[in-house]
Amino acid sequence: MRETDKIWMNGELVDWADARIHVGSHGLHYGSGVFEGIRAYETPRGTAVFRLRDHLQRLDNSARLLYMELPYAVEELRTACLELIGVNGLPECYLRPIAFYGYGELGVAARGNPVDVVIMSWPWAPYLGEQGLKDGIRAKISSWQRVGPNVIPHVSKATGIYLNSMLAVTEANRAGYDEAILLTAEGHIADGSGENVFIVKDGTIYTPDLSTSILPGITRDTIIQIAQDLGYTVIEKNLIRPDLFLADEVFMTGTAAEVTPLRSVDDVELGVGPITLALQEAYLDTVRGRSERWSHWLEYAAPTPAEA
């Protein structure tokens, strides 16, 4: 992680090194927090944030599912994100808003604890690597199951849920793979440690249904809409392990990972297919402001000279 100048913390811009919390913070002990990952891209019209309001609304929804009331409205957080981008002067960056129960009581119930809200920004290359975007990555089916839908609210992007993901991807990395794919207790494909999964078979695109305990990814939603606009059929349904092995193409999506092909799953070679590359190109054209069709998803951090 490359340090930048400022971090937005509880309504104030503070120096990177001074953005600290107490070791007794509830969120540190119990994973009682929610977060988002948002990307800002350099475009011909300046720095643009992709689907900023959608991400911040999901943050607010995630908090509500944890009985957490954010002390800032979505519009206030939006303004803070744009301010932070301007202060740090980054043409491209990754934004990490996070809210968590702070220092107060250390009982499991977060009764009376304050809610701290922080936004970080720093340059971050594609999560699974530039080479991974081009040539694909190797994934492993994890021995760890995805947490069930009635165990933790999977539609909340909550910090504690990611222990499940951390175990899965660490296992995969230790075995020499780039990423993990988690299954549900019933054996249905869920997702990666931080990405949604798509399968291409006979020209049709499939992705697991939300009932498989997956996060309703904003990049997932984006790709579904782009694919449909490009004339592809997208079907949300339960998928099983053999669907991965017999697929023509498999790819993952996420804000950090963008659109990353899977060249193999459990050493079954798949290669990188044309539909994946077409969707990847359309997505990158969209977030980088090279496509007018989906330009409504971009929010510019500062006006262009012509608009100023």
Side-chain angles (χ1 to χ4, degrees):
M1 183 183 295
R2 198 185 94 189
E3 293 184 9
T4 54
D5 188 25
K6 297 291 184 181
I7 290 174
W8 188 92
M9 191 167 190
N10 292 325
E12 298 180 356
L13 290 169
V14 301
D15 290 342
W16 181 283
D18 293 334
R20 302 174 181 177
I21 64 170
H22 195 279
V23 294
S25 295
H26 193 278
L28 175 63
H29 292 258
Y30 301 113
S32 54
V34 295
F35 70 100
E36 277 297 318
I38 310 169
R39 277 197 187 271
Y41 291 88
E42 187 173 14
T43 79
R45 293 178 54 196
T47 299
V49 191
F50 187 65
R51 298 189 67 168
L52 177 59
R53 283 183 173 85
D54 293 330
H55 277 287
L56 295 176
Q57 185 59 60
R58 187 173 66 178
L59 181 76
D60 189 73
N61 293 342
S62 295
R64 285 167 33 187
L65 288 169
L66 267 63
Y67 309 109
M68 177 188 293
E69 184 175 347
L70 297 184
Y72 302 94
V74 167
E75 187 60 26
E76 292 177 293
L77 295 175
R78 170 190 162 274
T79 300
C81 286
L82 298 178
E83 179 186 15
L84 184 64
I85 291 171
V87 167
N88 284 332
L90 299 172
E92 291 202 3
C93 66
Y94 183 86
L95 290 160
R96 169 54 57 84
I98 182 169
F100 53 92
Y101 284 113
Y103 178 70
E105 297 297 329
L106 260 186
V108 176
R111 288 194 296 267
N113 291 62
V115 175
D116 291 323
V117 184
V118 178
I119 307 171
M120 304 171 65
S121 72
W122 71 92
W124 202 7
Y127 179 62
L128 295 167
E130 294 281 0
Q131 201 66 33
L133 283 178
K134 178 183 176 183
D135 298 330
I137 63 167
R138 300 174 65 242
K140 176 186 185 299
I141 304 293
S142 180
S143 68
W144 296 99
Q145 293 177 357
R146 176 53 80 210
V147 176
N150 203 35
V151 178
I152 293 177
H154 65 90
V155 297
S156 173
K157 195 172 175 70
T159 57
I161 295 175
Y162 276 76
L163 177 60
N164 190 207
S165 293
M166 185 277 284
L167 290 168
V169 72
T170 300
E171 175 190 62
N173 291 165
R174 287 166 61 92
Y177 297 85
D178 303 301
E179 186 53 284
I181 295 176
L182 293 95
L183 307 180
T184 68
E186 296 75 29
H188 296 132
I189 298 166
D191 50 13
S193 68
E195 311 87 8
N196 292 116
V197 176
F198 287 82
I199 286 172
V200 181
K201 184 68 175 177
D202 298 329
T204 298
I205 301 169
Y206 301 89
T207 193
D209 185 84
L210 293 180
S211 64
T212 53
S213 301
I214 63 173
L215 182 75
I218 289 172
T219 310
R220 174 185 184 271
D221 175 70
T222 300
I223 289 300
I224 289 173
Q225 292 190 52
I226 288 176
Q228 291 171 337
D229 285 350
L230 293 177
Y232 296 105
T233 298
V234 181
I235 298 174
E236 300 177 59
K237 59 172 288 189
N238 284 334
L239 300 166
I240 57 176
R241 185 189 305 229
D243 291 322
L244 291 166
F245 302 150
L246 299 176
D248 298 324
E249 306 174 36
V250 180
F251 62 91
M252 287 180 159
T253 65
T255 298
E258 299 171 312
V259 180
T260 299
L262 269 61
R263 71 173 188 269
S264 71
V265 178
D266 280 358
D267 299 322
V268 175
E269 294 298 323
L270 300 168
V272 179
I275 294 178
T276 298
L277 293 179
L279 292 172
Q280 183 190 81
E281 181 180 17
Y283 177 79
L284 293 176
D285 282 348
T286 297
V287 298
R288 295 191 178 280
R290 298 190 293 256
S291 171
E292 286 299 319
R293 181 182 291 185
W294 302 290
S295 60
H296 61 283
W297 280 327
L298 296 176
E299 184 162 354
Y300 290 88
T304 63
E307 297 168 333

